[in-house]
Amino acid sequence: MKEKVLSILNDIRPDIEFEKEERLIDDGMLDSFDIISIVSDFNNEFDIEIEIDELEPYNFNTVAAMVELIEKLRDEA
Amino acid sequence: MQQINTPIQYKELVTEAKKKGFTLSNCFFLPDAIREKTEKGTLFAQWIKNGLLILEDAGTFYRCYYYFSKDEKTEPVTLNKKAVIEFPFASCLSDVQKLQEEQILRMGFSLGRESAQMTALPEEIQSCSEISSMVQVEYARDEDAENCLNLIRESFNELYAFIPEIDEMRQYIRECRITVIRDKDKPVAVLHCAQQKQFVTIHHVSVARSHRRRGFANTLLSHYHRSYADKVKGFCHWVDIHNEAAVQMYQALGYHFGLRKANEYIKL
């Protein structure tokens, strides 16, 4: 799953070395257009629904956090 | 239409939309964005047939976000300003995205622009023969801000391209993100770029109508590529895929299409 998440992220923002970054949101590296792309792609690819309560910086600051979020939502589904 | 004054009000609206079964959405604001927009007073909500619209007031138009039902159809909507829906996707629309597109079109929006991302590595950039040797590329000065904005407005539709405010333009000039070609000391061509980490992106390239077909765009791009070749891993930008002149120009420079695309649906 991590590889798929990275593949999606790298398509959206090839300029960011996602595995090295720990503050993608807090440092403003991802803008609102990126977030729309990322959440849409995650919802589509993993058949999940990321809800408003999950749209928090800590869920998107690192690749690991995003993977954890997706896994949690898949388990709940 | 109601103004959304607080983040709590925003969350209540979204929760209500979800309870009604409106689960197809492109509205993914993070808390800081919600806070900023509600404090500025730029967020509005409008319930529609089988959906909820969240409208961000951008002055002369709305940026439109939505919550739709998967199964129940929307109907044509009436808005008091022009509106645009930005719809990014990878390669091609998925089934869920096609459902959303159908709902968007039922609301009375139409496909305004199809964009795609183009990228190039520094070693892929080709030199261009159509460079004007008669002009010099310079960094813009603070007093050029208004002229640069006018040049950008001349070439770009505000619905599709982010047009900066005058204060933002002055900030970009201070950050050396704006280069110009002058005629009698007045900018007649402008390039606006932004470096993000290891890539640099073109936001605007514009040449005054009176000075086109002189190679000014290529001259600006050539300077841009030389300036960043040793500083970045790659160059990228978004292009209207139906703007054949622009696509051909970038392809001739060594750019190629990536996987990312975006449609912009508009309601005038």
Side-chain angles (χ1 to χ4, degrees):
Chain A
M1 179 183 300
K2 183 183 170 187
E3 289 72 29
K4 188 62 199 173
V5 168
L6 273 170
S7 171
I8 289 170
L9 294 172
N10 286 325
D11 280 346
I12 292 169
R13 289 292 302 273
D15 55 313
I16 296 176
E17 290 185 276
F18 282 96
E19 289 200 88
K20 289 184 179 176
E21 300 295 341
E22 295 186 349
R23 293 168 56 86
L24 290 162
I25 302 296
D26 291 341
D27 284 351
M29 295 173 64
L30 297 175
D31 63 23
S32 56
F33 190 73
D34 295 330
I35 297 296
I36 292 175
S37 301
I38 288 168
V39 174
S40 293
D41 280 13
F42 284 177
N43 284 345
N44 275 332
E45 181 64 32
F46 300 109
D47 197 24
I48 56 175
E49 272 184 37
I50 296 176
E51 300 283 358
I52 186 172
D53 287 334
E54 283 127 12
L55 289 168
E56 291 284 349
Y58 56 77
N59 279 329
F60 295 91
N61 264 329
T62 64
V63 173
M66 294 187 223
V67 170
E68 195 176 321
L69 172 66
I70 294 165
E71 285 175 345
K72 184 188 86 135
L73 291 173
R74 288 182 101 180
D75 287 344
E76 287 172 1
Chain B
M1 189 182 295
Q2 62 181 116
Q3 188 161 19
I4 305 175
N5 296 307
T6 64
I8 292 175
Q9 188 185 354
Y10 171 84
K11 187 171 175 180
E12 285 172 353
L13 281 162
V14 169
T15 304
E16 193 179 343
K18 288 294 182 101
K19 274 190 194 156
K20 290 177 191 272
F22 304 157
T23 55
L24 295 181
S25 178
N26 71 336
C27 192
F28 306 124
F29 294 136
L30 292 174
D32 277 353
I34 299 167
R35 196 172 306 116
E36 185 191 329
K37 292 173 201 298
T38 50
E39 282 173 5
K40 277 187 184 173
T42 56
L43 272 193
F44 297 84
Q46 181 164 320
W47 291 100
I48 61 170
K49 177 87 172 172
N50 296 317
L52 169 68
L53 298 183
I54 303 290
L55 300 162
E56 183 184 1
D57 191 344
T60 55
F61 68 97
Y62 292 121
R63 286 203 174 81
C64 182
Y65 304 88
Y66 55 77
Y67 288 87
F68 294 145
S69 164
K70 275 183 191 167
D71 305 308
E72 307 298 327
K73 295 178 183 174
T74 55
E75 287 179 356
V77 301
T78 301
L79 299 172
N80 56 11
K81 289 187 194 187
K82 294 180 287 190
V84 64
I85 294 174
E86 294 171 330
F87 199 92
F89 59 98
S91 299
C92 58
L93 294 175
S94 67
D95 289 342
V96 168
Q97 287 168 332
K98 283 179 188 166
L99 274 179
Q100 294 180 54
E101 185 187 45
E102 286 168 12
Q103 296 283 47
I104 289 169
L105 297 174
R106 280 193 198 101
M107 283 202 299
F109 282 74
S110 55
L111 180 57
R113 189 175 77 158
E114 296 175 88
S115 306
Q117 196 179 62
M118 296 187 90
T119 58
L121 302 175
E123 57 267 30
E124 292 174 326
I125 295 294
Q126 305 292 315
S127 56
C128 179
S129 57
E130 295 172 35
I131 294 172
S132 172
S133 57
M134 307 293 290
V135 297
Q136 206 172 342
V137 177
E138 301 172 8
Y139 287 107
R141 303 189 290 255
D142 191 67
E143 56 266 32
D144 294 327
E146 193 123 6
N147 284 323
C148 288
L149 266 180
N150 289 337
L151 282 169
I152 289 171
R153 286 190 192 113
E154 207 175 288
S155 296
F156 291 88
N157 185 324
E158 62 179 352
L159 287 175
Y160 305 138
F162 170 69
I163 310 283
E165 301 288 336
I166 188 77
D167 288 340
E168 288 169 323
M169 178 56 77
R170 290 198 180 103
Q171 180 60 31
Y172 299 155
I173 288 173
R174 283 194 286 274
E175 293 171 1
C176 296
R177 288 168 49 174
I178 311 288
T179 49
V180 297
I181 291 172
R182 301 179 189 282
D183 185 358
K184 298 184 179 64
D185 206 41
K186 182 181 169 188
V188 292
V190 62
L191 186 149
H192 168 209
C193 69
Q195 183 177 350
Q196 288 173 303
K197 289 287 175 174
Q198 297 184 65
F199 270 60
V200 61
T201 302
I202 294 170
H203 288 306
H204 306 100
V205 178
S206 179
V207 181
R209 286 196 190 93
S210 53
H211 288 70
R212 288 181 185 170
R213 309 203 70 79
R214 300 186 197 186
F216 285 6
N218 279 315
T219 304
L220 283 168
L221 285 163
S222 178
H223 178 271
Y224 161 76
H225 291 130
R226 281 199 315 273
S227 299
Y228 283 99
D230 294 333
K231 298 182 183 126
V232 297
K233 273 172 62 174
F235 298 94
C236 72
H237 71 277
W238 287 84
V239 70
D240 176 349
I241 63 171
H242 298 294
N243 185 338
E244 290 180 13
V247 170
Q248 283 170 13
M249 179 180 75
Y250 284 108
Q251 284 179 326
L253 287 169
Y255 284 79
H256 44 85
F257 283 109
L259 291 176
R260 298 306 302 181
K261 296 183 181 175
N263 288 348
E264 277 126 335
Y265 301 90
I266 57 171
K267 186 161 171 44
L268 302 175

